[in-house]
């Protein structure tokens, strides 16, 4: 397999699958450019070697060509970050785009229009992939967030570059970091799962039971476990049809020797609002008409002591409704505990949109070992599933 670090792009035209699927406000201004910044090392390597870089990405979920999802909105900011002109092709395939590719000089950067303006992209259409590959010498995949999809630009295109395909720096770092917890992790290895629903996370939880020593569960999904065990959940978010599944998780954990840590207390509110009345109750005694929106103080202490004794930590999903200041304490304290444990030498990996947002909100971005850019892709890779975007480069 070719390593981007050792490859010389001089005189080569490289097409790079990047993930520029960034949030835009209603004036099409970028509100978080993390993903663009994450792609810079790969782009810089190509142009600084004397090659040219053709960048392709999706943005949002367009129905056909919709201006609000045009990658044109990214050009200005990317130009600023790179410190060099970025050309734009207002189609990702076609004659004009091919001409633009053919005219590229050493050091040029060309951004193509949104791949998902064509339904062929998500369908993994080979003809479409071939058109993307036209006029190009090298294929680089640097979009981890879409690596679990067999789309034209993420996987199918690789067949046209059998001896000239590679991962970009971002994907490489992702895979190396995730392998630290999915292949022979340091022990004790603790997974902290949170978020709203059990149904979203059940597969990964089941899979983690084969790997972890401790499983900490927080967030809205705990109420399905509480109800399954006969507790009162009041109006808390609860999936009644998943209680059996919750009991199976607990049973499987027991047979695998995994210690499951569920909250013992919680902060309950009389409505889903930051201004709601609150009280602290035992986790299995949420009063009628009230709902649990954060883990309680005893729980925080217990979780913290498990985290401090861990040598590898995976965190996915907040412990409560951290978007509201009155229910952010649990998530914040857990984030701080992860940072402290990292400081003591643990390897910590944070993945999944909301836990990443939480780490950023509490300004702990530089206090954890690695923050993954790929929610779904991260979880599928840990589950041991083959990611088409990864396999297409490795095979
Ligand atoms: P997920 O995308 O599944 O990781 O879920 C994240 C969302 O779960 C966040 O928006 C949180 O506000 C929400 N959440 C966490 N704890 C609770 C809770 N106790 N009740 C309702 N929603 C919650």
């Amino acid at each position: 397999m070719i390593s981007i670090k050792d490859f010389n792009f001089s005189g080569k035209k490289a097409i790079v699958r990047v993930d520029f699927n960034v949030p835009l406000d209603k004036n099409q201004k970028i509100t978080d450019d993390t993903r663009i910044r994450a792609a810079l090392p790969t782009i810089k390597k190509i142009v600084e070697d004397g090659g040219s870089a053709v960048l392709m990405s999706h943005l949002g979920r367009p129905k056909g060509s919709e201006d609000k999802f045009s990658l044109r909105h990214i050009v200005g900011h990317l130009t600023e970050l790179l410190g060099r002109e970025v050309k734009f092709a207002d189609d990702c395939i076609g004659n004009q785009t091919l001409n633009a590719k053919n005219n590229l000089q050493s050091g040029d950067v060309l951004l193509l229009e949104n791949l998902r303006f064509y339904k062929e992209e998500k369908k993994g259409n080979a003809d479409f992939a071939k058109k993307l590959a036209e006029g190009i010498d090298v294929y680089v995949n640097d979009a981890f967030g879409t690596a679990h999809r067999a789309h034209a630009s993420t996987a199918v295109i690789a067949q046209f570059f059998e001896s000239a395909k590679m991962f970009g720096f971002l994907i490489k770092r992702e895979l190396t970091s995730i392998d630290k917890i999915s292949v022979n992790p340091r022990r004790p290895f603790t997974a902290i799962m949170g978020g709203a629903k059990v149904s979203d996370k059940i597969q990964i939880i089941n899979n983690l039971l084969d790997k972890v020593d401790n499983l900490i569960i927080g967030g809205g999904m705990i109420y399905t476990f509480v109800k399954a065990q006969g507790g009162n959940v009041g109006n808390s978010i609860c999936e009644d049809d998943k209680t059996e599944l919750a009991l199976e998780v607990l049973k499987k954990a027991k047979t695998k020797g995994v210690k499951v840590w569920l909250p013992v207390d919680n902060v309950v509110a009389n409505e889903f609002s930051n201004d709601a009345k609150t009280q602290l109750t035992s986790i299995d005694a949420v009063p009628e008409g009230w709902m649990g929106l954060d883990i309680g103080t005893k729980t925080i202490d217990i979780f913290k002591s498990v985290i401090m004794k861990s040598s590898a930590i995976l965190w996915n999903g907040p412990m409560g409704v951290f978007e509201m200041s009155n229910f952010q304490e649990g998530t914040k304290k857990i984030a701080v505990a992860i940072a402290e444990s990292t400081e003591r030498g643990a390897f910590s990996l944070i993945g999944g949109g909301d836990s990443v947002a939480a780490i950023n909100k509490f300004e702990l971005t530089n206090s954890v070992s690695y923050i993954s850019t790929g929610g779904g892709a991260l979880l599928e890779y840990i589950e041991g599933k083959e990611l088409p975007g990864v396999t297409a480069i490795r095979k």
Side-chain angles (χ1 to χ4, degrees):
M1 215 170 65
I2 306 170
S3 157
I4 182 164
K5 194 163 123 285
D6 303 329
F7 192 82
N8 186 352
F9 287 91
S10 175
K12 306 267 191 221
K13 287 177 186 168
I15 191 156
V16 191
R17 178 46 159 108
V18 288
D19 181 2
F20 285 174
N21 183 29
V22 290
L24 301 175
D25 66 15
K26 58 181 189 309
N27 299 316
Q28 267 75 47
K29 279 252 168 319
I30 300 163
T31 54
D32 180 350
D33 68 353
T34 312
R35 287 176 172 165
I36 301 180
R37 286 177 188 276
L40 296 179
T42 293
I43 304 169
K44 283 188 175 159
K45 158 77 176 160
I46 295 168
V47 293
E48 283 168 13
D49 270 5
S52 50
V54 178
L55 311 178
M56 56 177 175
S57 177
H58 75 286
L59 175 62
R61 293 181 176 169
K63 295 183 184 78
S65 316
E66 285 182 80
D67 181 67
K68 67 174 173 180
F69 295 118
S70 172
L71 279 161
R72 186 188 301 281
H73 307 306
I74 313 288
V75 175
H77 193 59
L78 181 59
T79 304
E80 243 171 71
L81 291 176
L82 273 175
R84 63 174 75 216
E85 187 202 351
V86 174
K87 299 182 161 82
F88 183 70
D90 54 16
D91 197 345
C92 59
I93 54 170
N95 282 338
Q96 258 183 321
T97 301
L98 185 57
N99 277 340
K101 285 178 184 168
N102 290 339
N103 290 332
L104 287 175
Q105 304 296 316
S106 159
D108 282 353
V109 178
L110 172 71
L111 175 64
L112 305 183
E113 183 55 288
N114 196 337
L115 293 159
R116 291 199 190 161
F117 282 1
Y118 287 88
K119 58 183 183 325
E120 286 83 353
E121 160 64 358
K122 283 175 86 169
K123 288 193 170 148
N125 182 288
D127 287 334
F128 177 72
K130 195 171 179 189
K131 287 178 191 156
L132 292 171
E134 265 173 355
I136 301 288
D137 305 306
V138 187
Y139 169 60
V140 182
N141 188 1
D142 211 16
F144 186 67
T146 46
H148 58 319
R149 307 277 182 229
H151 294 170
S153 68
T154 61
V156 180
I157 190 173
Q159 66 187 282
F160 304 109
F161 298 94
E162 273 312 324
S163 54
K165 55 182 182 180
M166 66 193 80
F167 293 126
F169 287 115
L170 175 63
I171 287 209
K172 243 183 113 182
R173 224 181 128 210
E174 287 274 356
L175 297 177
T176 314
S177 303
I178 304 170
D179 281 345
K180 283 193 187 161
I181 56 150
S182 60
V183 186
N184 291 327
R186 287 188 233 157
R187 297 198 174 274
F189 174 22
T190 299
I192 307 160
M193 301 299 292
K197 289 182 174 173
V198 182
S199 49
D200 291 341
K201 310 270 164 97
I202 193 73
Q203 223 183 335
I204 174 78
I205 289 179
N206 260 320
N207 189 275
L208 283 169
L209 290 176
D210 292 324
K211 300 179 190 281
V212 300
D213 303 293
N214 295 297
L215 174 65
I216 289 177
I217 303 180
M221 70 165 106
I222 49 183
Y223 299 101
T224 305
F225 287 86
V226 172
K227 188 153 193 180
Q229 293 175 307
N232 292 325
V233 300
N235 281 348
S236 307
I237 186 170
C238 180
E239 292 170 279
D240 290 339
D241 57 336
K242 296 288 179 299
T243 49
E244 280 304 312
L245 225 51
L247 291 178
E248 277 168 32
V249 165
L250 299 178
K251 211 166 121 193
K252 184 174 170 190
K254 212 167 188 179
T255 59
K256 298 258 172 198
V258 175
K259 184 97 180 94
V260 178
W261 302 86
L262 290 168
V264 293
D265 60 351
N266 64 354
V267 179
V268 300
N270 65 343
E271 57 178 345
F272 191 80
S273 151
N274 199 38
D275 305 320
K277 281 193 195 138
T278 62
Q279 55 177 311
L280 190 67
T281 74
S282 161
I283 194 75
D284 55 359
V286 179
E288 214 42 57
W290 292 63
M291 61 188 84
L293 296 183
D294 196 8
I295 53 174
T297 45
K298 273 191 206 141
T299 303
I300 291 172
D301 287 344
I302 297 169
F303 285 5
K304 188 174 171 186
S305 97
V306 177
I307 291 166
M308 293 312 288
K309 284 182 209 135
S310 303
S311 297
I313 300 161
L314 166 70
W315 182 29
N316 176 281
M319 297 288 103
V321 185
F322 75 104
E323 298 93 334
M324 299 185 198
S325 59
N326 288 331
F327 307 105
Q328 69 171 17
E329 206 53 24
T331 304
K332 188 174 180 178
K333 290 266 167 65
I334 293 312
V336 169
I338 295 170
E340 284 176 16
S341 191
T342 308
E343 170 96 36
R344 279 199 196 172
F347 178 82
S348 55
L349 191 149
I350 319 300
D354 277 313
S355 20
V356 176
I359 280 281
N360 289 337
K361 179 173 179 180
F362 305 132
E363 296 179 357
L364 294 167
T365 316
N366 297 320
S367 307
V368 294
S369 308
Y370 192 71
I371 298 181
S372 173
T373 58
L378 165 77
L379 297 184
E380 288 193 20
Y381 189 71
I382 296 172
E383 278 170 34
K385 282 194 191 150
E386 217 174 70
L387 307 189
V390 171
T391 308
I393 298 287
R394 282 186 176 157
K395 77 172 177 209

